[in-house]
Amino acid sequence: MAAPIDFYFDFSSPYGYLAAQKIDALGAKYGRSVNWHPVLLGVIFKETGMAPLTVIPLKGDYSKVDFARSARFHGITDFRMPSKFPIASQAPARIVLWLQARDALLATRVAKALFRAYFVDDIDISNPGLAVAVAAKEGVNPGAARAAIDDPAMKDGLKREVEVAIARGVFGSPFVLVDNEPFWGLDRFEQIERWLATGGF
Amino acid sequence: MAAPIDFYFDFSSPYGYLAAQKIDALGAKYGRSVNWHPVLLGVIFKETGMAPLTVIPLKGDYSKVDFARSARFHGITDFRMPSKFPIASQAPARIVLWLQARDALLATRVAKALFRAYFVDDIDISNPGLAVAVAAKEGVNPGAARAAIDDPAMKDGLKREVEVAIARGVFGSPFVLVDNEPFWGLDRFEQIERWLATGGF
């Protein structure tokens, strides 16, 4: 079996949410599993000097039009902009990292549930208690999940994930690496598909 | 006949060049003519606080990979990064604006020739003499084209074009408006096509 695809995302990223609806199926079509990597765009933006899309003049207004239109274009009908945006995503990211060391399939299921909570049900998953409640619905022990958010080992683990991401050139969300070939954005999924189908072009 | 499509671009923009290979055919397929609008990203970036792609840490390196890969993906085989990049695009923009008031078809043909000169033949079209030489090959009077570059009326005309673009929300290149619906980037051409085919989605 070919190497897994690396899927980098921030839980606060609308395009990350949309890509999260597609990436596993895309990988599976070409016999690839997907490694999900939650990262922190806030830390990455300090490296690049970039800013959250929605605060950039002109681009911010456009992005709100494009988030919703891109969701419709991709047939994702249950997207809506959260009332609080952007948010810090340490809490959901640490829960997922902690689960990945225990049960990778459960970790991915919880990641999808956290994304849905934020971008469908407007739940503020930056709040540790609310993030834990989402994970608990997927069968995760809430006390252990809550402890993981404050665990120094998880804090360090997430920091290292972000450092590795930056070292690999990740500057946005979603960001996909296929055999080290970098693809930024949901709008590169067609290029990813051709890359997977042909081995590069 | 339906209203023309507005196609905004900077002559220094690689994605603008790639989009320029596609936009007329896309419009024609849906009975739309295309109004070509050269603008100055340098002026627009002052408004938005953005910077040229290639100078942004991480994103700059990625963009060079993506320019060439996107060209191949779209079957545009004769793209290469110019040795001088980015460039100021006042000279080619003013030539095209000046021609548009005289012969719109010739103006578009010259715009395409200027893009090719820069992104295929590595000619520095920021140089007025070199930009004029490209236009002259398309049958434009070189003395008149050279005079247009320094004509205060053309300078003011280009400034106004950029101001109107900013007022319409244009922040990047390529940027397309279809009946005032905004689309940024070559990677939105599929959404543009669905929009043209369906009247909105």
Side-chain angles (χ1 to χ4, degrees), chain A residues 74-91:
Chain A
H74 289 282
I76 299 163
T77 52
D78 51 0
F79 164 85
R80 63 172 171 174
M81 271 307 279
S83 43
K84 186 179 166 191
F85 179 87
I87 54 168
S89 56
Q90 277 85 350

Side-chain angles (χ1 to χ4, degrees), chain A residues 48 50 57-59 62 66 69-70 72-73 166 170-171 181-184 187-188 190-191 194 201, chain B residues 48 50 57-59 62 66 69-70 72-73 170-171 181-184 187-188 190-191 194 201:
Chain A
T48 60
M50 292 168 68
L58 304 180
K59 197 172 184 176
Y62 172 80
D66 190 66
R69 189 180 61 208
S70 292
R72 297 193 301 274
F73 182 75
I166 290 171
V170 173
F171 60 85
E181 181 75 10
F183 298 90
W184 171 51
D187 38 47
R188 288 297 176 274
E190 290 195 314
Q191 293 196 23
R194 191 183 297 178
F201 57 85
Chain B
T48 60
M50 291 168 68
L58 303 180
K59 197 172 184 176
Y62 172 80
D66 191 65
R69 190 180 61 208
S70 292
R72 296 193 303 272
F73 182 76
V170 173
F171 59 84
E181 180 75 10
F183 298 90
W184 170 51
D187 38 47
R188 287 297 175 277
E190 290 193 314
Q191 294 195 24
R194 192 183 296 178
F201 59 85

Side-chain angles (χ1 to χ4, degrees), chain A residues 8-17 39 41 45 115 170-175 184-186:
Chain A
Y8 288 89
F9 62 94
D10 186 311
F11 276 111
S12 186
S13 159
Y15 297 124
Y17 163 72
V39 291
L41 282 185
F45 286 170
F115 256 141
V170 173
F171 60 85
S173 165
F175 200 102
W184 171 51
L186 174 61

